[in-house]
Amino acid sequence: MTLMMLVFFPMAAALLCLWAGARRETLRDGLAIGAAAAELLLACRIAAAGNGTAVFPDLCSLGLRLELDGFRKVYAVVIGLMWLMTMMLSPQYFRHHGNRNRYYFFNLMTLGATMGVFLAADLYTAFVFFEIMSFTSFTWVIQEETPGAIRAGETYLAVAVIGGLAALMGLFLVQHELGTTEVSKLYALARNCPHKGTLYAAGGCILLGFGAKAGMFPLHIWLPKAHPVAPAPASALLSGVLTKSGVWGILAISCNLFREDPAWGTLILTLGTVTMVLGAVLATFSIDLKRTLACSSMSQIGFVLVGVGMMGLLGEENALAARGTLLHMVNHSLFKLVLFECAGVVYMNLHALDLNEIRGFGRKKPLLMGTFLLGAMGIGGIPLLNGYVSKTLLHESIVEGAALYGGILKVVEWLFLISGGMTLAYMTKLFVCLFVEKNPTRQAEYDGKKGYMNLLSGAAVLIPAVILPVLGLTANVTMNGIADVGTDFFHCGEPEHAVHYLSPENLKGAVISILIGAGIYLLVVRKWMRKDGNYVNRWPEKLDLEDRVYRPLVTRWLPGVFGWVSAIFGENRVLTPAAKAVMDAAGSIGRLFGENRVLAPVCGAVLRVSGIAGRVFCDLPDALVYVLGRTVYRKSRLPDDDKVTSSLSYRIGKEADKAAIRLGREKKGGRHYAHLLYRSVDTLQKTTNRIMGNVSFALLMLCGAVCLVFVYILMLHG
């Protein structure tokens, strides 16, 4: 019952807030904040209780299964905290915005769906809530309804739909091969499965679906586009929680379906490394505050995926990788909560995100400066903050892997350190821009802003920021405790030795990243990415993967290929004569069978038998009705009742009979054509009704409608 409340209570509260919003906005805001606070308290209560399961067999046809373990407890609390903090910022942030009732409604609906994903006991349940979450969070992206927001929403929805269909195909394959999608049973069944190729195909489909939501390369295209246009509270949730729902799916198959599988681990490590480096590069080049943070999220997800890959490569000795993966997931959620809320404070005062416009806003604002600095230092891996702890564990796991596999992992280690350096470089760029540099034209105006953040918003920003150093300074108690509780989902062993986070060897990695970051900032950001005192976007537009590859692929290349293939068969001068010859031969055969008096009765009988057999095999109920109509309920003659004689087909046939009588081809009083035409029209109508009422036909029409809607969404505003 408690697990069910975690999922469905926010959805019920969403309806209540929608009702309250139509009457009094302050009541709606209070109810939304109260619902988020109640969800956090409920999550904390569950975290203090034991593990458990809940099954709802009558929901969504196959039933829904929820489960509670250590990992799910940790993330239930994280989700509750993040939703409460963003709800506390929302009243001031949305003070001058429209569509607020819609935002609060779908915000709470997304909260329930997200809880459903993390509490899912099987992949089917996760998929159901994953799809609900995708469609409810879509409204966040289009909240402002600007052309940029609509275009970003199209991309977000397209990636969600395509990824969801791919994941569904993977679930079908898993169900077919293993007979279940229950997460806890996958490992034992997959280990004894003889068809490993099918499992890899299923894993690839599921990876595509959940990796798209996580922001994994090359499916990251929605992330840099959606964050700048979405409201800041929603961006914090998109980055801090919804991307982790994608990581949940990747973990579910990596730690169960492909546990301790080096081949799978290599794939995840490769994709994670590319995502980590590319996200850091994009963030370094960006001159938009929220886009920089969005690309940073992509990079940090890459760090997490590197940990997942190392778990597969290290096998039974994957404890450090597992603990680092879990802690960096939690840490990144907290980082982005702090940083996006700070970005929200900037935007709700200036309605601008370009670094050249917002430069200098944070000067003489110590609360905003302190909270942003803690978030920036935490995500940069500075010692004594929580980000340093999780990055140290991930780095140690790579070092262990390099000792086993050799040189290629040394390359991964250096890319890891360089990405950490770039993280520091772009966070330094943001901090210096906001809090050190002066705006050339509006600095006096910025310095005079005193009520830039009310008490509720200040608490929403400060509370999560304080958590960062607390976790970092008490890592041996708090963070190790989180790792001890939460890694049961990862099926890893205990670490062979305690990790001394501030040992010279571990500090060495942090120092290397700091030096790399300082070099990138001073030599690249300050020298090359600035011109005449302004920040310049040096990233080439032609490298936009969405505009250069994905949209042309869907809107031009694939239609062009299909059109070319169609043109070959429809207009090509080589194939046309051959096709004409085939058609002429078919016509000759048709005339032979259609006119020859010997073959016509035989062919007619054969066609009748084959038609009856086809209907029996294709639609047994229709075949039964047909047989009964031809035997038990067959009428000796056509009834001459009012319904028949008044029908249009009967009257037309009757006139044809009169003409036939005048020409001497029919006896007086005959009704041959009247009966024949009536039977033909009646049979046609009945057949059409059977087809239209067939379930398969309905599903086919539904599929066609979905395809048309999907194509329309992709082409809208394209």
Side-chain angles (χ1 to χ4, degrees):
M1 186 59 146
T2 309
L3 289 179
M4 181 178 68
M5 285 186 64
L6 265 180
V7 175
F8 295 109
F9 166 72
M11 296 182 177
L15 295 172
L16 184 60
C17 287
L18 191 64
W19 170 83
R23 287 155 178 80
R24 190 176 177 184
E25 293 187 352
T26 55
L27 176 61
R28 176 204 59 209
D29 296 347
L31 287 174
I33 295 173
E39 185 80 349
L40 175 58
L41 292 174
L42 186 59
C44 292
R45 178 185 175 186
I46 287 177
N51 297 346
T53 58
V55 180
F56 311 101
D58 298 327
L59 291 178
C60 299
S61 182
L62 298 180
L64 301 178
R65 299 175 183 84
L66 304 178
E67 184 177 358
L68 191 65
D69 58 14
F71 173 73
R72 292 175 171 92
K73 290 178 182 178
V74 169
Y75 247 90
V77 174
V78 171
I79 292 170
L81 175 66
M82 294 198 64
W83 243 272
L84 176 58
M85 295 299 106
T86 55
M87 280 294 189
M88 289 167 61
L89 178 66
S90 295
Q92 185 180 8
Y93 185 90
F94 287 103
R95 185 170 51 193
H96 302 296
H97 289 245
N99 305 317
R100 284 171 287 186
N101 287 340
R102 182 180 72 187
Y103 171 79
Y104 282 103
F105 174 77
F106 283 108
N107 189 295
L108 289 171
M109 292 291 290
T110 306
L111 170 56
T114 306
M115 281 290 188
V117 173
F118 280 92
L119 295 175
D122 59 66
L123 295 177
Y124 173 74
T125 301
F127 172 78
V128 170
F129 286 114
F130 189 80
E131 290 302 290
I132 295 173
M133 179 191 69
S134 295
F135 284 99
T136 53
S137 60
F138 161 73
T139 60
W140 295 350
V141 182
I142 64 166
Q143 173 68 22
E144 303 298 335
E145 298 184 1
T146 61
I150 297 297
R151 182 177 173 84
E154 295 169 5
T155 303
Y156 181 83
L157 192 59
V159 172
V161 170
I162 295 173
L165 292 175
L168 183 60
M169 181 59 67
L171 299 190
F172 287 157
L173 291 173
V174 171
Q175 179 70 36
H176 174 74
E177 284 297 320
L178 304 183
T180 183
T181 62
E182 193 169 341
V183 175
S184 61
K185 297 179 180 179
L186 293 180
Y187 174 65
L189 295 171
R191 185 174 55 182
N192 300 318
C193 179
H195 306 118
K196 298 296 183 183
T198 304
L199 291 184
Y200 280 118
C205 292
I206 296 172
L207 177 64
L208 178 67
F210 284 94
K213 184 66 67 181
M216 180 188 72
F217 175 86
L219 306 170
H220 64 282
I221 56 172
W222 68 270
L223 206 148
K225 305 291 180 68
H227 283 290
V229 297
S235 294
L237 298 173
L238 282 168
S239 177
V241 178
L242 267 66
T243 55
K244 305 308 182 302
S245 68
V247 176
W248 183 96
I250 297 173
L251 284 170
I253 58 173
S254 298
C255 299
N256 296 280
L257 206 60
F258 305 110
R259 188 188 305 176
E260 300 172 8
D261 186 331
W264 181 262
T266 301
L267 172 64
I268 301 298
L269 178 64
T270 302
L271 293 173
T273 302
V274 176
T275 304
M276 173 181 68
V277 176
L278 180 59
V281 171
L282 291 173
T284 304
F285 274 81
S286 173
I287 62 170
D288 181 285
L289 175 58
K290 286 175 64 179
R291 179 181 171 85
T292 303
L293 296 178
C295 296
S296 170
S297 294
M298 174 185 169
S299 179
Q300 299 307 309
I301 291 297
F303 279 89
V304 172
L305 293 179
V306 166
V308 177
M310 292 308 304
M311 288 166 56
L313 289 174
L314 292 173
E316 295 180 354
E317 300 177 356
N318 63 1
L320 291 180
R323 295 167 77 87
T325 299
L326 170 65
L327 292 179
H328 204 65
M329 287 177 65
V330 174
N331 287 339
H332 179 247
S333 296
L334 296 174
F335 298 149
K336 287 308 162 66
L337 176 59
V338 173
L339 294 171
F340 271 112
E341 287 196 321
C342 289
V345 172
V346 174
Y347 182 79
M348 70 186 183
N349 282 276
L350 303 183
H351 298 286
L353 293 169
D354 188 283
L355 297 187
N356 296 307
E357 295 184 49
I358 65 176
R359 183 168 48 184
F361 174 78
R363 291 171 61 90
K364 298 183 180 181
K365 297 177 179 62
L367 177 59
L368 185 63
M369 178 188 295
T371 53
F372 190 92
L373 181 61
L374 287 173
M377 293 173 64
I379 200 171
I382 299 298
L384 302 182
L385 288 159
N386 55 338
Y388 167 77
V389 176
S390 55
K391 286 190 174 182
T392 295
L393 290 170
L394 293 174
H395 181 241
E396 284 295 301
S397 69
I398 299 173
V399 172
E400 284 189 1
L404 292 175
Y405 292 96
I408 189 65
L409 285 181
K410 291 296 293 183
V411 176
V412 174
E413 180 188 4
W414 275 104
L415 291 174
F416 183 94
L417 295 174
I418 292 171
S419 298
M422 283 192 284
T423 303
L424 283 167
Y426 62 70
M427 292 311 302
T428 302
K429 176 183 69 174
L430 295 181
F431 182 82
V432 170
C433 173
L434 279 170
F435 303 103
V436 178
E437 295 179 336
K438 292 184 178 181
N439 193 287
T441 59
R442 303 178 62 184
Q443 192 59 52
E445 175 191 348
Y446 293 170
D447 290 344
K449 283 185 175 290
K450 301 300 181 183
Y452 66 95
M453 186 165 49
N454 62 27
L455 182 62
L456 191 61
S457 299
V461 175
L462 181 61
I463 291 172
V466 170
I467 295 175
L468 307 185
V470 170
L471 291 176
L473 292 171
T474 62
N476 289 323
V477 177
T478 55
M479 302 201 73
N480 285 352
I482 293 172
D484 291 338
V485 171
T487 49
D488 54 357
F489 188 77
F490 297 72
H491 302 289
C492 64
E494 295 292 328
E496 296 181 358
H497 56 83
V499 178
H500 301 288
Y501 297 113
L502 298 179
S503 66
E505 187 64 28
N506 288 327
L507 287 171
K508 176 183 175 182
V511 171
I512 292 173
S513 286
I514 291 172
L515 293 176
I516 292 173
I520 293 173
Y521 177 74
L522 294 174
L523 300 177
V524 179
V525 175
R526 299 298 296 182
K527 298 295 184 183
W528 184 55
M529 295 183 178
R530 287 170 58 90
K531 183 178 181 181
D532 299 329
N534 291 322
Y535 292 93
V536 180
N537 185 4
R538 298 287 189 182
W539 185 258
E541 291 185 4
K542 63 182 179 181
L543 295 182
D544 189 301
L545 195 60
E546 177 188 353
D547 291 337
R548 298 294 175 176
V549 178
Y550 290 126
R551 282 185 180 266
L553 177 67
V554 174
T555 60
R556 293 202 301 271
W557 299 345
L558 287 179
V561 169
F562 292 142
W564 180 78
V565 172
S566 301
I568 289 178
F569 289 95
E571 299 175 359
N572 188 280
R573 295 184 179 182
V574 177
L575 292 180
T576 298
K580 186 176 183 301
V582 172
M583 294 300 294
D584 290 342
S588 300
I589 295 173
R591 286 191 295 273
L592 175 65
F593 283 87
E595 297 175 2
N596 189 283
R597 295 186 177 183
V598 178
L599 293 178
V602 176
C603 293
V606 171
L607 290 173
R608 288 191 186 94
V609 172
S610 63
I612 294 171
R615 293 178 69 176
V616 169
F617 284 107
C618 295
D619 197 339
L620 188 59
D622 287 350
L624 180 60
V625 171
Y626 178 81
V627 172
L628 290 174
R630 292 287 183 178
T631 55
V632 178
Y633 297 105
R634 183 175 181 179
K635 297 180 180 180
S636 59
R637 60 185 179 85
L638 186 71
D640 192 17
D641 55 17
D642 293 337
K643 179 180 178 182
V644 174
T645 56
S646 62
S647 66
L648 179 62
S649 58
Y650 184 90
R651 284 182 286 167
I652 294 175
K654 189 175 180 180
E655 294 300 323
D657 284 325
K658 292 179 181 179
I661 291 171
R662 286 196 296 270
L663 294 174
R665 295 184 179 181
E666 188 172 317
K667 294 181 180 180
K668 186 175 181 180
R671 292 290 184 271
H672 173 72
Y673 290 106
H675 292 170
L676 178 62
L677 189 57
Y678 175 81
R679 286 182 182 276
S680 300
V681 174
D682 185 58
T683 301
L684 179 62
Q685 290 176 343
K686 290 180 179 179
T687 303
T688 303
N689 291 336
R690 286 171 184 154
I691 294 175
M692 296 295 288
N694 190 277
V695 174
S696 299
F697 180 81
L699 290 175
L700 181 63
M701 294 298 100
L702 176 62
C703 180
V706 170
C707 292
L708 289 174
V709 171
F710 177 61
V711 171
Y712 171 75
I713 291 172
L714 287 179
M715 298 182 66
L716 188 65
H717 303 285

